[in-house]
Amino acid sequence: MPQALAKPLNPSPASPAVRVSTRENNFDLVRILAAVQVAIFHASAHLQLPPEGVWAQLARVFQVFPGVPIFFVVSGFLISASYERKQELRPYLRARLLRIYPALWICFAVSLLVACAFGFLPLDVVFSPKFAAWCVAQVTFVQFFNPSFLREFGVGVLNGSLWTIPVELTFYVCVPALYALLVRGRARPTSNALLAVVALASFAVGYAMDTGVFGPPRSFQQRLVQATIAPHLHLFMLGMLAQLNWDAVERLVRGRFLLWVVPYTVLAMALHEQLVAGPLLTALARVLLAGTVLSGAFSARSLSAKVLRHQDVSYGFYLYHMVIINAFVEKGLVGRPMYLLAALGIAVIAALASWRLVEKPMLALKASRA
C-alpha cells in the first residue's frame, strides 16, 4: 500500500491537491485491525471454538467491522492518491507490484513447505501438470484456484484468504482507466456523478450477491462473482471519491470518529440481526463504514505510530494467518481458545518477519526508483 499521499503534479479539475504525511494518519493501524478481524473470524470457525463464550462474542462484534470491505475502502483512498502522485503508468504499476508480489511469493514458498511437511505434496503430485498450473496461478493472479490434491488438507483450501489478491490487482489496473475515462479533464461535479453511477452499479451487483440472486453462498456462480471486482468496486470507489474530494470530506471526518462509528455500529448490528433490511439501508451502512474507516485514520492521528512504530504488518498477517490455521486444523489443535491465541501469535511473528525481511526492503527499493 502507498505510504503517503502527496500533491498531484498536474491536478485535474476533479482532483484537489492532497498532502498527507505517513506520520499524520492511522491507516497502518486500521489495516492491522481489519486483518485481525478476518483472522479471528476464520480462526473461530475453523478451530471449532464453542459457539458461546468470550471469543464467540468477540467474533460476533467483529462481524460488524468486516475486514475485507475495510481493506477495499482504504485501498481506494490510498491507491488513487498514489496514481495521482506518480502520474505515469509504469512507475505506478511497478510500485504496486513491488508491494504485492515479493511478500506473496515468499508466503507461497512457505505454504509449499507446510503442505510438504504434512505429506500433501508427494513426488507424483509435484511432477504433475496440475501442480505446475497451481503454482503458476498462485504466483500470478489466480490465487483462488484450489487444486484437488490439497482439498483434504486442513480446512480444504491452503490459503483461502488470497481470493482478495486478484480483486486488489484488478483495482490497480482499473484506476488508470477510471481516471482516463471519468476523471481527467472533467469538472469535479461531472466526475463525481460518473464515478457514483459506476459505484451504484457495483453496489447493485454486491447486494444481489448477498441476497442470493447468484445462487447459494458456496455455489459456483456465487464464488465466481465474488472473485471479480463487480460486487466490491463500490467499496473501493467510496475511498477513491473521498480522496478526490478530500478538501470537503476532510472536514467531515477528521477528529470525528465517534460521530461516525456510533451510527454505523447501530445500523450494522440492526442489519446483521435482521431487525432492518433493504438496499437503501445497506447502502447507507457502506457509506457510514467508509466514513468510520477514514475518520479512524484521521482521528488521534499519532495513535498508529505509537502502537505500531511504523511497522505495517497487516499484509503479512493477512497472508499467513490461514496457512497457520490450516496447520493447526491438520494437527487436530482445535476446540480451545488457547489454540486461537497461539495461531494468531504465530501469525504476528510471521508478519513481523515478512515486514522486516521482505516488505520494508521492497518499499525502500520502490522509493529509490520513485
Side-chain angles (χ1 to χ4, degrees):
M1 299 298 176
Q3 300 301 299
L5 308 183
K7 180 177 179 179
L9 299 177
N10 298 297
S12 69
S15 178
V18 177
R19 187 183 298 276
V20 183
S21 164
T22 56
R23 300 180 184 276
E24 294 179 341
N25 63 64
N26 294 317
F27 279 121
D28 287 352
L29 186 58
V30 169
R31 283 188 296 234
I32 189 59
L33 290 175
V36 168
Q37 186 277 334
V38 173
I40 288 181
F41 177 77
H42 287 158
S44 298
H46 297 310
L47 297 182
Q48 304 172 26
L49 265 64
E52 301 298 333
V54 174
W55 285 106
Q57 295 301 322
L58 185 61
R60 292 191 183 100
V61 171
F62 270 13
Q63 283 183 333
V64 177
F65 299 92
V68 170
I70 290 172
F71 280 132
F72 291 161
V73 171
V74 172
S75 291
F77 189 89
L78 294 180
I79 298 305
S80 62
S82 174
Y83 178 68
E84 289 189 3
R85 183 175 71 251
K86 294 187 181 302
Q87 295 290 306
E88 297 180 6
L89 187 59
R90 179 175 292 183
Y92 161 77
L93 291 176
R94 182 180 182 276
R96 305 276 50 79
L97 296 179
L98 280 174
R99 186 65 184 101
I100 291 294
Y101 277 111
L104 178 66
W105 290 338
I106 297 299
C107 178
F108 177 60
V110 172
S111 302
L112 286 176
L113 292 175
V114 171
C116 185
F118 282 98
F120 281 85
L121 294 179
L123 289 179
D124 61 323
V125 167
V126 171
F127 289 104
S128 68
K130 185 173 288 188
F131 178 78
W134 176 64
C135 289
V136 171
Q138 294 303 302
V139 300
T140 54
F141 51 85
V142 197
Q143 285 77 19
F144 52 82
F145 172 49
N146 185 36
S148 57
F149 56 81
L150 285 174
R151 291 177 190 167
E152 298 299 319
F153 175 56
V155 304
V157 185
L158 180 58
N159 201 342
S161 297
L162 298 189
W163 70 266
T164 61
I165 298 295
V167 175
E168 280 282 352
L169 292 171
T170 311
F171 286 156
Y172 298 165
V173 174
C174 283
V175 166
L178 289 170
Y179 269 83
L181 296 173
L182 305 180
V183 177
R184 191 167 292 123
R186 299 183 184 274
R188 192 192 300 185
T190 302
S191 178
N192 286 341
L194 292 171
L195 291 169
V197 168
V198 176
L200 285 172
S202 167
F203 172 78
V205 175
Y207 188 78
M209 185 182 73
D210 292 340
T211 52
V213 171
F214 298 105
R218 299 303 299 171
S219 67
F220 173 77
Q221 299 94 320
Q222 180 91 348
R223 287 182 289 152
L224 183 64
V225 173
Q226 182 170 344
T228 72
I229 66 167
H232 314 294
L233 183 60
H234 66 284
L235 294 160
F236 184 87
M237 294 187 71
L238 284 173
M240 181 176 172
L241 280 164
Q243 190 275 134
L244 285 167
N245 296 275
W246 187 239
D247 54 342
V249 173
E250 181 180 18
R251 294 192 294 269
L252 299 175
V253 300
R254 188 181 290 273
R256 300 187 176 187
F257 179 67
L258 289 178
L259 295 180
W260 286 94
V261 71
V262 172
Y264 166 72
T265 302
V266 171
L267 179 56
M269 290 183 68
L271 287 167
H272 184 261
E273 298 297 328
Q274 298 183 334
L275 301 176
V276 296
L280 292 179
L281 289 176
T282 302
L284 177 60
R286 303 288 167 82
V287 172
L288 290 175
L289 175 62
T292 299
V293 168
L294 295 174
S295 185
F298 292 99
S299 300
R301 290 171 293 155
S302 63
L303 185 60
S304 182
K306 291 177 180 178
V307 173
L308 298 176
R309 299 184 180 276
H310 306 292
Q311 298 185 102
D312 186 5
V313 295
S314 58
Y315 184 44
F317 188 87
Y318 186 83
L319 285 177
Y320 284 96
H321 79 274
M322 270 309 301
V323 179
I324 296 164
I325 289 172
N326 266 304
F328 273 60
V329 171
E330 192 62 27
K331 290 290 291 183
L333 303 177
V334 298
R336 301 177 63 181
M338 65 175 292
Y339 296 142
L340 182 148
L341 291 174
L344 297 186
I346 296 171
V348 169
I349 295 171
L352 284 169
S354 178
W355 168 250
R356 294 179 181 178
L357 300 178
V358 183
E359 298 169 59
K360 190 174 181 180
M362 289 299 103
L363 287 176
L365 179 61
K366 180 175 73 173
S368 69
R369 298 288 184 88

